[in-house]
Amino acid sequence: MTTSRSYDLVILGGGAAAFAAITEADQRGLSTAMVNTGLPLGGTCVNVGCVPSKHLPEVRNDVRSAPKTDREPPYGTAIRRRRKRGIYSS
């Protein structure tokens, strides 16, 4: 079964520029379609480039400045560490 649709604008890709284009198109009242293959929505910048590379140093700083404690880390972290050591299996 094939359906036919009409759009004012078809955006190729799902990266940051595509999201800027779809936002602008929406503000202008245009009907839009986004066609994305390859990386998940967000493109290289969001998934593997700019955003992660800027976020990781902040996380590192938060971890370094966190108060020291004898308590067990949050549940998910503890499970991941135990799995890594072979204590739990998936």
Side-chain angles (χ1 to χ4, degrees), residues 3-89:
T3 58
S4 178
R5 295 192 178 156
S6 175
Y7 298 98
D8 297 317
L9 177 65
V10 175
I11 299 167
L12 302 178
F19 279 92
I22 208 162
T23 301
E24 182 66 26
D26 181 61
Q27 291 172 347
R28 293 177 184 224
L30 301 174
S31 65
T32 59
M34 182 185 288
V35 179
N36 182 58
T37 60
L39 286 173
L41 286 178
T44 300
C45 185
V46 170
N47 292 294
V48 296
C50 311
V51 174
S53 66
K54 290 176 183 169
H55 181 69
L56 287 174
E58 290 301 317
V59 170
R60 180 197 63 223
N61 292 339
D62 290 346
V63 168
R64 286 182 177 169
S65 64
K68 304 298 180 222
T69 179
D70 292 332
R71 294 182 335 179
E72 185 73 17
Y75 177 77
T77 304
I79 295 297
R80 283 190 297 276
R81 286 183 183 163
R82 289 183 178 120
R83 280 188 181 141
K84 191 173 182 179
R85 288 187 235 148
I87 298 170
Y88 290 129
S89 61

